[in-house]
């Protein structure tokens, strides 16, 4: 048995370079964190040489002009890992997913195709380079020896059977990846190389370091034999396509998407699975972005990050689906409402699998539309009104008047375990409550969204008259100001004075067109003065 | 007229955003004649508010918000002293039965203590709001009826607050309805939490800290708006224009609040005199007994001085105070606890005669008025220095036992937000990541000197923070605004107050973190401000060292050393001082002291007093050090500025070095009274202010004008006094410290082993770390032996060595093994005393609590090398063995392995088994041992790391510290060593001082601000440095003025330095 271990050096950085191959010969540092605390989390050798250090703040790292700074992307790393596994599976069905940066391939039978081990290794290396990754490859008859040699030696390493110990001897014990505690112990012992570790008597070592000691000793000697731990087939299904010519129009894109979705659904069907989340990722052509913008293709704001050359979107489905046509419709609607702003170079469609729904309709419940249909309707509506304007409203825990957000609308019963939003914080200030017997009839309140601009004339600090949409009104009664302010630590802080005003309009028609002609033209309104904008608005009307 | 009667200060701890002084000043500015501060569950801010109000010429009403069992708070105002005492007792009762920071009162307790109190119905957190929220108007009416029953209907006011909030106004309308129905008066307040509207931001931050939230997750816990600030009467009139009686009632209620804190009713306890004699008689007897011991029977000067002092003590009725302090000192002496009074008490011959102090004020010609003055109207202040640790605790517990739990308490220590804590907490509130917080808090603070680049914005820039970001800007603003605001109440290290009767009627008491202790709600400044006498029982590391040294000398040298009778003119001691060979000596060991000693050349005790006092910010900034030294060396003529000043300045050669001299100068030249001089002293004290200094300067000039002093001399005198604006020592204090300095020097010179052991056993203390102390002792000929499990105790000990010059080795104690827990270390010593350990296995069996990591720490530093006998093993053999011991198989497996371990209880066989197990590991190299020593103990008893590289150093032209004295002044030199101290004192204008140690001693390098800026990272981050520069030898004070600095790789060992800020 012969195995090849493939190890990707600086995996995070390479994952980023894989998405952006132009960086291959550059000094690259990856940053992560929430602004303003973004810092360097990984870098390649060139970046270290240029002076970058791990933990360095983003704006400090920016000072090294030769270093390209990119945000760390777990998606890229996942994709790179998936690509590595895909590569493995393209070689042999027997592969081991050892670590995100390491896989082992069983080379049995390959010699008849590719010749000597060295040839196989070269070929593997070439193919990996074609994938956009740089790897170290070690071939040995011992799986672990191959792994450790790949981590310790650059390029290609061939270890003849029986010479593992000799080859591994000079490597630091760190390549064996012992537990931190054991590494400390070995350091205290002065055991720093595999050779030194291999020289220790194994029985005594086992008495001291237990099974881990025996295992490390075995690895250091290049001894021991274990079977390959075969990688489970993928649990996240992804299909991708790299386009020769960038796609700019929705129709050809739909065609390609349909093909990918068909493939995905077929794979899922074979494993009796369906899709719970469908993710779409496009690699964009940054040079084409300006053209697209110039042509004014986008009339709905896209959430494309300015510096990003990747477009991502996802649809979370209320029930697992594997109807490729339905999925295509949903994706089309999504892309219509939120299109990428540059030509597309690569398309990735990933599906998160789930067990398909096996549900029988309840005889005693009124019939309701299928969840799939509801989802389609919501997607259509979202396409019309925008994502942020559809769903279930949810009040936010803030003093800001009318602060709410839209949650995804989920029909009752469609999602038995819908994620529960945390209950709003209970204020430490007791809310004044009264017993029902003295409670006055509640007033209804209709809110204008957005608030209507108005002008208010004040006399001695009290509103006397108002002007709304060119119509004057006289203030008959006023209550206020009711003052709220907040978010003072943010750029979008706010400060408002609300007034409840009883107004009699001077014209026969209600400028807000709320009251019918038969009703008296006066009413109780809520106004607010935005102290930062220095403007008055009508927030709503009491019924 | 409106008077604010419900305000919280920042002493409501995280529920108020303004200091009492700020509130008082604004109250005055807004034209209110008085105001009430009601802090949460205490009178924490009341003294400061009272004193600030006095200063502003307004009245401070006293009150508190007291938490009820149901969670709401009674806002209570005090009308009389009885009411104040009731509220104090109520709060004390509630606090003492609950964990720190918690507690609540029951309605029955409130009724019991209601006399003299007025209850308001409160705002959001008051009883009315709570009742309305829980049961509506009916329930609220019931609640108010209950309050009327407890306090009396005439003492309940229906409180209305208007913060422009709908819900609150609805509550107000309900309250008005209830008030009308029950015929109760309405009272407008603003429920103030901050002086200015902008401080709402700080209040929101405090809310987040209190609730462990961030600003973005706190939601409606934050304030709705900024209306809870102190508003002007006009503004309040406008707000309550529909309810003028609510405003008018504030004046009426304020006129009922007669009590002020100046009417505290505090009385110092009487000392229980035997036979019922008057206290002063008993004090006189004790003083004269002591006087005979101190001065003999025929010292007329002493007799006259003591008579004078006793007459004043009698007049001021302070005999009880002196007797109580004497009683504490007696207790300590009976139990062999070293005790010494310091501070201004050392000015008193009575204190000297009573044995409270050890400095003879008559011989030293110290000013008694500095201690006690009839005019000053202030209690005397006696500080007692005790050995830090258990001994001091014994003295404190004695005071508790003697005066009862409610008769004595520690003073509080208000913990305020300072640079690092502020940055950390505010950063958290703004959702900064932990790593960023660490980075920020390590940056903020920094070294003492601040140049134009050492600003907070600069720190943030260095930390990689974008100053244009809104969050960062807010962070900066908040960090600045929060400085010095109280965070929580701690306990003062030694200040105790005692009281005649019940202390809980004077100030509320709280449980302290240390079991068995109670603490008052005021800090020592507040206690002093309120006229409460305190006794400071301070822990002093050097007292503990002296006490332990004496004990070691008694036990090992079989000699008795009496600190009170040390030879006064020991030549060895003065020779050491003159050479600045003072590492480890109290107060005279710092680099600055060392650079002064060879020039001052101390020859007598008074020279040490001067030496202690001269290296202080006052004399240094006042540029008095060099003139004094020049005059001492007769390079400059003595000039006392004015003939009248000769008696005052004569003995310090015309240079004022002590506070007393400044006071006397002012009294003589400007005709200052005792009170004026006291004001001058305060102006020179810690809380100095420019404005006060200017006022005093004007007064001085006027006084000198009247005395006909010429403008030139006036200028010199003014400069002498004002340049002392930074803190300087009083002479009596310097003398007390000088005594300890002399004692420490004497012990070091004559009992080096005992003194070094005691120093090492009381670390951390002093200027140098343990590694430097050990190296210094070794250079003085002491043999220091490494930690060895077969003979080391928990503490460092002495071992007899007949052939050694000093007669003793010093054996390092197990306390220096990093990571070894004290209880385990002590258990090792106990087990070994019963029977020596036969092996590592035996050690583990007999000390089962010993963790593997602790055994590894012991093995790595070589402490287990001789566990199996004198033949010994190397460190890695021990490390090899402990890994096995830590993973011993069960007894069954042991039996199956051939019965070798079949009798684990037979410890002797275990040793032989283990010792036969041969380690395959190579011994540690010298470098590895050095690394292990520093990593495991922070020091090495072997050669200094520099010694291993000396040949190489010589080849590079690097000179060692010991030979610098032989090199002519002005020569270019290269020095190298491990940095043991980096200093950037505030008085040195940005210069940085490095102390670098090698195997021959300590060399000093001076770095200019420019060079420091160029090499900041090199200087701060490297353990070993190579400094090239010009040697300066000024009167045997040797230093190298650096021209270039480079890092040096000597060892990977983690040597440490003391960096001073």
């Amino acid at each position: 048995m012969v195995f090849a271990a493939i190890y990707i050096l600086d995996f995070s950085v390479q994952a980023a370079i894989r998405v952006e191959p132009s960086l291959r010969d550059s000094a690259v540092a990856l940053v992560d964190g929430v602004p303003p605390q973004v810092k360097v989390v990984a870098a390649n050798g060139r970046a270290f040489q240029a002076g970058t250090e791990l933990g360095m703040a983003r704006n400090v790292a920016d000072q090294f002009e030769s270093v390209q700074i990119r945000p760390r992307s777990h998606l890229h790393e996942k994709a790179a890992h998936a690509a590595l596994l895909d590569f493995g599976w393209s070689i042999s069905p027997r592969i081991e997913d050892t670590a995100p940066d390491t896989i082992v391939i069983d080379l049995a039978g390959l010699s008849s195709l590719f010749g000597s081990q060295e040839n196989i290794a070269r070929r593997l290396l070439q193919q990996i380079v074609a994938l956009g990754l740089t790897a170290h490859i070690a071939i040995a008859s011992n799986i672990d020896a191959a792994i450790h040699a790949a981590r310790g030696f650059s390029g290609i390493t061939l270890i003849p059977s029986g010479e593992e110990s000799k080859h591994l001897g000079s490597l630091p014990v760190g390549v064996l990846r012992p537990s931190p505690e054991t590494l400390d112990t070995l350091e205290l012992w002065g055991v720093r190389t595999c050779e030194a570790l291999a020289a220790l008597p194994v029985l005594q070592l086992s008495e001291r370091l237990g099974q881990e000691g025996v295992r490390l000793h075995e690895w250091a000697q290049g001894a021991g034999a274990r079977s390959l731990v075969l990688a489970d087939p993928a649990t996240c299904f992804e299909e991708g396509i790299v386009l020769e010519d960038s796609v700019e129009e929705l129709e050809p894109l739909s065609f390609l998407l349909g093909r990918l979705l068909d493939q995905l659904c077929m794979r899922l069907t074979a494993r009796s699975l369906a899709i719970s989340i469908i993710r779409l990722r496009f690699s964009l052509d940054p040079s084409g972005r300006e053209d697209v913008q110039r042509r004014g293709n986008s009339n709905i704001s896209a959430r494309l990050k300015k510096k990003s050359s990747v477009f991502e979107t996802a649809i979370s489905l209320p029930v697992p689906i594997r109807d490729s046509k339905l999925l295509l419709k949903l994706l089309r609607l999504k892309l219509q409402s939120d299109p990428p702003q540059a030509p597309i170079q690569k398309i990735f469609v990933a599906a998160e699998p789930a067990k398909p729904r096996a549900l029988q309709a309840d005889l005693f419940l009124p019939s309701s539309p299928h969840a799939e249909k509801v989802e389609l309707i919501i997607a259509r509506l979202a396409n019309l009104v925008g994502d942020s304007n559809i769903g279930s409203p949810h009040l936010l825990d803030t003093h800001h008047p009318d602060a709410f957000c839209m949650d995804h609308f989920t029909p009752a019963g469609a999602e038995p375990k819908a994620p529960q939003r945390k209950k709003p914080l209970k204020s430490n200030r007791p809310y004044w409550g009264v017993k029902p017997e003295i409670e006055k009839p509640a007033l209804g309140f209709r809110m204008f969204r957005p608030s209507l601009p108005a002008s208010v004339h004040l006399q001695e600090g009290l509103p006397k008259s108002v002007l709304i949409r060119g119509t004057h009104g006289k203030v008959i009664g006023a209550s206020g100001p009711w003052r709220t302010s907040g978010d003072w630590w943010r750029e979008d802080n706010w400060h408002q004075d609300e007034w409840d005003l009883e107004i009699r309009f001077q014209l026969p028609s209600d400028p807000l067109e709320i009251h019918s002609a038969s009703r008296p033209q006066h009413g109780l309104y809520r106004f607010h003065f935005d102290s930062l904008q220095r403007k008055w608005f009508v927030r709503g009307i009491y019924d | 007229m409106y008077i604010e009667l419900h305000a919280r200060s920042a002493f409501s701890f995280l529920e108020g955003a303004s200091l009492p002084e700020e509130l008082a000043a604004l109250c005055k500015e807004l034209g209110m004649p008085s105001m009430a501060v009601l802090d949460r569950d205490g009178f924490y801010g009341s003294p400061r508010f009272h004193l600030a109000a006095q200063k502003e010429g307004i009245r401070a009403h006293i009150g508190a918000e007291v938490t009820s069992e149901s969670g709401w708070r009674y806002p209570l105002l005090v009308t009389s002293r009885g009411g104040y005492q009731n509220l104090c007792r109520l709060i004390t009762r509630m606090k003492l039965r609950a964990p720190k920071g918690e507690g609540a009162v029951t309605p029955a307790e409130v009724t019991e203590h209601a006399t003299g109190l007025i209850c308001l119905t409160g705002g959001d957190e008051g009883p009315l709001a709570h009742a309305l929220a829980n049961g509506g108007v009916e329930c609220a009416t019931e609640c108010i009826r209950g309050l009327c029953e407890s306090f009396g209907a005439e003492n309940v006011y229906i409180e209305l607050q208007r913060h422009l909030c709908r819900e609150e106004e609805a509550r107000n309308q309900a309250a008005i309805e209830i008030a009308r129905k029950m015929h109760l008066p309405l009272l407008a307040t603003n429920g103030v939490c901050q002086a200015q509207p902008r401080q709402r931001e700080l209040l929101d931050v405090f809310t987040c800290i209190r609730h462990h939230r961030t600003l973005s997750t706190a939601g409606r816990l934050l304030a709705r708006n900024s209306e809870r600030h102190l508003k002007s009467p006009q503004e309040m009139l406008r707000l309550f224009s529909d309810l003028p009686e609510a405003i008018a009632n504030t004046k009426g209620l304020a006129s009922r609040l007669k009590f002020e804190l100046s009417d505290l009713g505090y009385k110092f306890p009487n000392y229980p005199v035997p036979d019922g004699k008057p206290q002063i008689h008993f004090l006189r007897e004790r003083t004269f007994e002591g006087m005979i011991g101190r001065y003999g029977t025929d010292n007329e000067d002493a007799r006259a001085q003591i008579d004078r002092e006793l007459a004043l003590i009698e007049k001021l009725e302070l005999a009880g105070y002196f007797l109580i302090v004497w009683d504490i000192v007696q207790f300590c002496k009976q139990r062999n606890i070293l005790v010494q009074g310091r501070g201004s008490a050392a000015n008193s011959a009575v204190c000297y005669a009573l044995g409270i102090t050890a400095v003879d004020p008559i011989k030293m010609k110290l000013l008694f008025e500095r201690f006690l003055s009839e005019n000053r109207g202030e209690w005397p202040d006696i500080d007692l220095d005790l050995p830090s640790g258990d001994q001091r605790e014994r003295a404190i517990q004695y005071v508790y036992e003697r005066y009862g739990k409610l008769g004595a308490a520690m003073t509080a220590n208000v913990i305020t937000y300072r640079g690092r804590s502020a940055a950390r907490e505010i950063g958290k509130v703004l959702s900064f990541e932990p790593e960023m917080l660490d980075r920020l808090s390590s940056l903020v603070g920094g070294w003492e000197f601040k140049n134009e680049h050492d600003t907070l914005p600069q720190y943030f820039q260095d930390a990689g923070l974008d100053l244009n970001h809104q969050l960062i800007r807010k962070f900066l603003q908040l960090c600045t605004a929060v400085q010095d605001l109280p965070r929580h109440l701690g306990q003062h290290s030694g200040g105790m107050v005692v009281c005649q009767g019940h202390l809980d009627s004077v100030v509320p008491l709280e449980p302290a973190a240390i079991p068995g202790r109670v603490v008052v709600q005021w800090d020592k400044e507040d206690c002093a401000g309120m006229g409460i006498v305190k006794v400071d029982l301070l822990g002093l590391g050097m007292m503990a060292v002296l006490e332990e040294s004496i004990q070691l000398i008694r036990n090992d040298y079989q000699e008795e050393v009496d600190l009170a009778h040390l030879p006064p003119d020991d030549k060895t001691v003065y020779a050491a001082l003159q050479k600045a060979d003072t590492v480890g000596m109290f107060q005279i060991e710092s680099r600055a002291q060392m650079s002064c000693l060879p020039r001052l050349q101390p020859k007598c005790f008074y020279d040490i007093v001067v030496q202690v006092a001269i290296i202080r910010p006052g004399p240094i900034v006042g540029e008095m050090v060099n003139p004094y030294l020049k005059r001492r060396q007769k390079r400059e003529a003595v000039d006392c500025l004015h003939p009248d000043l000769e008696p005052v300045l004569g003995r310090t050669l015309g240079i004022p070095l002590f506070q007393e001299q400044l006071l006397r100068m002012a009294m003589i030249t400007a005709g200052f009274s005792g009170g004026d001089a006291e004001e001058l002293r305060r102006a020179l004290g810690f809380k100095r202010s420019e404005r006060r200094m200017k006022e005093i300067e004007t007064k001085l000039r006027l006084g000198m004008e009247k005395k006909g002093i010429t403008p030139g001399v006036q200028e010199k005198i003014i400069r002498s006094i004002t340049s002392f604006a930074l803190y300087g020592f009083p002479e009596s204090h310097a003398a007390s410290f000088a005594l300890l300095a002399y004692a420490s020097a004497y012990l070091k010179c004559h009992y080096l082993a005992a003194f070094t052991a005691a120093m090492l056993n009381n670390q951390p203390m002093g200027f140098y770390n343990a590694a430097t102390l050990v190296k210094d002792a070794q250079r003085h000929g002491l043999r220091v032996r490494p930690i060895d499990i077969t003979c080391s105790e928990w503490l460092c000990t002495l071992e007899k060595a007949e052939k050694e010059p000093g007669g003793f080795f010093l054996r390092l104690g197990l306390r220096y093994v990093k990571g070894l827990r004290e209880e385990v270390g002590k258990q090792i010593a106990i087990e070994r005393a019963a029977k020596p350990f036969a092996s590592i296995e035996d050690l583990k069996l007999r000390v089962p609590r010993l963790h593997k990591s602790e055994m590894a720490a012991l093995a790595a530093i070589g402490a287990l090398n001789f566990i199996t006998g004198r033949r010994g093993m190397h460190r890695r053999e021990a490390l090899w063995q402990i890994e096995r011991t830590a993973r011993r198989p069960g007894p069954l497996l042991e039996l199956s392995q051939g019965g070798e371990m079949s009798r684990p209880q037979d410890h002797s066989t275990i040793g032989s088994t283990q010792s036969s197990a041969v380690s395959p590991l190579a011994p540690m190299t010298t470098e590895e041992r050095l690394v292990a020593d520093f990593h495991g103990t922070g020091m090495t008893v072997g050669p200094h790391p520099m010694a291993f590289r000396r040949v190489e150093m010589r080849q590079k032209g690097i000179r060692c510290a010991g030979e610098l004295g032989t090199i002519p002044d002005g020569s270019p030199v290269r020095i190298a060593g491990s940095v043991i101290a980096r200093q950037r004192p505030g008085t040195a204008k940005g210069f940085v001082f490095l102390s670098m140690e090698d195997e021959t001693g300590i060399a000093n390098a001076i770095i200019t601000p420019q060079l420091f800026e160029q090499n900041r990272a090199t200087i701060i981050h490297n353990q070993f440095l190579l400094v090239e520069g010009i040697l300066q030898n000024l009167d045997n004070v040797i230093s190298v003025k650096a021209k270039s600095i480079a890092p040096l790789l000597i060892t990977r060992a983690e040597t440490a330095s003391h960096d001073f800020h």
Side-chain angles (χ1 to χ4, degrees), chain A residues 140-398:
Chain A
S141 54
N142 179 305
I143 297 168
D144 294 315
I147 293 169
H148 300 138
R151 284 175 183 160
F153 298 114
S154 58
I156 294 171
T157 308
L158 302 175
I159 304 178
S161 182
E163 291 185 18
E164 289 85 354
S165 175
K166 193 174 109 191
H167 276 76
L168 297 179
S170 61
L171 290 178
V173 286
V175 301
L176 308 179
R177 299 199 179 169
S179 64
E181 193 193 346
T182 302
L183 193 61
D184 286 347
T185 304
L186 292 174
E187 176 62 30
L188 272 176
W189 287 354
V191 175
R192 298 190 182 97
T193 61
C194 289
E195 185 182 10
L197 179 56
L200 296 178
V202 66
L203 268 178
Q204 293 184 36
L205 191 65
S206 75
E207 285 173 346
R208 285 154 180 85
L209 299 182
Q211 279 307 302
E212 188 186 6
V214 176
R215 195 171 61 244
L216 291 173
H217 187 264
E218 214 169 67
W219 287 349
Q221 285 186 321
R226 68 170 173 93
S227 320
L228 212 58
V229 180
L230 291 180
D232 279 338
T235 52
C236 182
F237 293 80
E238 188 174 54
E239 293 292 330
I241 191 164
V242 180
L243 306 172
E244 283 184 21
D245 298 313
S246 300
V247 174
E248 293 177 21
E249 305 298 330
L250 189 58
E251 281 311 313
L253 180 65
S254 299
F255 174 75
L256 294 166
L257 281 175
R259 210 168 66 192
L260 294 174
L261 287 168
D262 283 343
Q263 285 171 356
L264 267 180
C265 290
M266 274 168 62
R267 283 174 62 188
L268 288 159
T269 307
R271 291 181 58 193
S272 300
L273 293 171
I275 298 171
S276 63
I277 301 172
I278 183 99
R279 297 183 195 282
L280 199 58
R281 189 169 87 243
F282 298 145
S283 288
L284 304 177
D285 177 7
S287 60
R289 187 185 303 156
E290 284 178 18
D291 296 340
V292 175
Q293 282 170 343
R294 214 169 25 246
R295 284 200 300 273
N297 255 5
S298 165
N299 54 0
I300 300 171
S301 65
R303 272 177 267 152
L304 183 69
K305 288 176 189 171
K306 280 183 182 169
K307 287 183 183 173
S308 168
S309 59
V310 174
F311 172 88
E312 288 172 340
T313 189
I315 299 174
S316 185
L317 300 161
V319 289
I321 295 171
R322 59 171 179 240
D323 177 346
S324 62
K325 288 190 172 55
L326 176 63
L327 289 167
L328 183 60
K329 277 182 192 168
L330 290 172
L331 284 177
R332 275 181 62 108
L333 286 165
K334 186 82 179 170
L335 289 170
Q336 276 172 1
S337 66
D338 187 10
Q341 289 200 330
I344 298 157
Q345 287 181 322
K346 294 177 189 172
I347 304 169
F348 297 95
V349 183
E352 281 193 17
K355 290 277 179 201
R357 188 171 67 147
L359 195 68
Q360 187 173 325
D362 195 318
L363 282 175
F364 302 102
L365 285 179
S367 62
S368 57
H370 284 295
E372 292 86 340
K373 284 189 179 170
V374 172
E375 194 60 24
L376 192 58
I377 291 165
I378 290 172
R380 282 182 176 144
L381 288 171
N383 190 25
L384 289 173
V385 300
D387 266 350
S388 56
N389 294 325
I390 188 162
S392 308
H394 184 92
L395 280 176
L396 294 176
D397 180 24
T398 165

Side-chain angles (χ1 to χ4, degrees), chain B residues 498-614:
Chain B
V498 285
C499 179
Q500 180 77 51
H502 290 295
L503 192 56
D504 65 336
S505 302
V506 177
V507 51
L509 308 179
E510 296 192 0
I514 300 171
R517 283 195 187 179
V518 287
V519 57
V520 298
Q521 288 191 338
W522 299 341
D523 72 8
K524 62 179 216 170
E525 296 290 325
D526 294 339
C527 287
M530 291 293 105
I532 297 178
V533 188
K534 71 172 199 326
V535 183
D536 268 347
L537 303 177
L538 301 167
L540 195 61
M542 184 48 75
M543 291 289 277
V545 170
L546 295 180
E547 191 177 76
E548 192 168 341
S549 300
I550 292 168
Q551 195 66 40
L552 285 167
I553 293 165
R554 187 179 295 133
N555 295 344
D556 294 307
Y557 291 70
Q558 311 287 325
E559 287 178 34
E560 202 61 46
V561 173
D562 182 356
L563 290 183
H565 298 98
L566 293 178
D569 302 310
D570 189 271
K571 283 184 181 153
T572 327
V573 169
Y574 286 105
L577 299 189
Q578 287 162 10
K579 282 191 294 182
D581 182 12
T582 54
V583 170
M585 293 179 192
F586 184 63
Q587 286 282 319
I588 49 171
E589 62 170 343
S590 70
R591 180 206 52 80
Q593 291 278 2
M594 282 187 180
S595 68
C596 179
L597 279 164
R599 296 177 69 196
L600 196 137
Q601 290 284 308
K603 294 181 185 71
C604 63
F605 179 70
Y606 192 73
D607 289 345
I608 304 178
V609 178
V610 170
Q611 177 68 41
V612 166
I614 202 166

Side-chain angles (χ1 to χ4, degrees), chain B residues 646-663:
Chain B
E646 273 182 21
V648 181
L649 298 179
R651 59 180 167 165
T652 53
L653 310 178
I655 305 285
L657 294 177
F658 304 109
Q659 272 187 6
E660 290 90 336
Q661 289 175 307
L662 297 176
L663 306 193

